[in-house]
Amino acid sequence: MLKGRTAIVTGSTSGIGLGIARALAAQGADIMLNGFGDSGEIEQIRTGLERDFGIRARHDGADLSRADQCTALVGNTLAALGRVDILVNNAGIQHVSPIEDFAPERWDAVIAVNLSSAFHTVRAALPDMKSRNWGRIINIASAHGLVASANKVAYVAAKHGIMGLTKVVGLECAETGITCNAICPGWVLTPLVQRQIDARAAAQGVSVADAGRDLLSEKQPSKRFTTPEQLGETAVFLCSEAAANMTGTSLSVDGGWTAQ
Ligand code: NAD
């Protein structure tokens, strides 16, 4: 379905981004990976995508907390793979603390990576998408783009912000073949959430397994984690012709979290 298309997936060396990169590659898209990690492991991911799906995959280690590197990521993709048809803004970080103790540098970092990076990448990628009048911009927001939780002020603000960005880009591109939508996952068992489960187990003096069950039952009625593979298929749907007139909106994949 996506043969001949090129996708940038930010933060795709781990977790949800990697699940989305694999799902888009499985549909034939060339992939620009981005994110941090061990260079040997990243090279294995890159060559694994090329081998498993017969596509071209590259990696760019842009630090998306920096505007110039967000713009350079798009430029490097155009140079290496020739075009940008699909842009998945997925890179994200978390910091958990009550607001009085929330370090201002952590606020700046979370807003930069989780929100401002999407402004910079969209701004840089749109001219190329417009030149072919086709594009798919997918922002990985969160249930926290729709509702809040205590102790996550920067994350919740950034995720609500990216919902606003999604609506504006959707409107500005409404008469083109470019759509912009958000996906709002609930809990997904990735390193980002595992760290929160581990912290919870330590704080409450319970096992990691109990802390995981506790975390799920507090917010997610299904009591099951969403998987990176399910989110990959959600992204594939947003790239399909069936979703061509869907724009400026969001899809929740949250086990009922925001139905409550
Ligand atoms: P993760 O920690 O497994 O992966 C995060 C990715 O972002 C990694 O590849 C990391 O290297 C990259 N990254 C971090 N800082 C970066 C930077 N400055 N520049 C470039 N890359 C950077 O996390 P995840 O759980 O897969 O989260 C992915 C996205 O999904 C995030 O936006 C997160 O907010 C969102 N999300 C996660 C969950 C969840 O339950 N895991 C739920 C809702 C939304």
Side-chain angles (χ1 to χ4, degrees), residues 98-181:
I99 191 164
E100 312 93 287
D101 304 324
F102 208 105
E105 313 80 70
R106 297 315 302 160
W107 166 273
D108 289 344
V110 172
I111 297 295
V113 178
N114 296 19
L115 176 59
S116 301
S117 70
F119 163 74
H120 298 297
T121 56
V122 170
R123 189 167 174 274
L126 267 180
D128 184 65
M129 290 181 180
K130 284 187 174 167
S131 72
R132 287 179 302 279
N133 197 34
W134 196 92
R136 293 289 188 267
I137 299 168
I138 301 172
N139 297 319
I140 306 307
S142 168
H144 283 124
L146 300 166
V147 295
S149 295
N151 302 325
K152 294 185 174 175
V153 66
Y155 188 88
V156 171
K159 295 299 185 182
H160 276 67
I162 205 154
M163 299 296 277
L165 181 148
T166 301
K167 291 175 187 173
V168 172
V169 175
L171 287 178
E172 291 188 11
C173 296
E175 293 184 36
T176 73
I178 302 162
T179 68
C180 179
N181 293 291

Side-chain angles (χ1 to χ4, degrees), residues 11 13-14 16 36 62-64 90 141 155 159 185-186 188 190-193:
T13 52
S14 167
I16 295 169
F36 303 144
D63 177 351
L64 301 186
N90 164 80
Y155 188 88
K159 295 299 185 182
V188 187
T190 66
L192 181 138
V193 166

Side-chain angles (χ1 to χ4, degrees), residues 68-79:
D68 57 340
Q69 295 197 22
C70 298
T71 308
L73 170 63
V74 174
N76 292 343
T77 306
L78 290 172

Side-chain angles (χ1 to χ4, degrees), residues 10-18 34-37 60-66 89-94 109 113-114 140-144 155 159 183-193 195-196 225-226 228 231 257:
T10 71
S12 48
T13 52
S14 167
I16 295 169
L18 181 53
N34 157 259
F36 303 144
D60 185 302
D63 177 351
L64 301 186
S65 67
R66 298 191 31 194
N89 289 305
N90 164 80
I93 54 174
Q94 177 62 283
V113 178
N114 296 19
I140 306 307
S142 168
H144 283 124
Y155 188 88
K159 295 299 185 182
I183 298 175
C184 294
W187 292 123
V188 187
L189 193 52
T190 66
L192 181 138
V193 166
R195 281 190 289 275
Q196 294 176 60
F225 288 104
T226 297
L231 295 170
W257 181 326

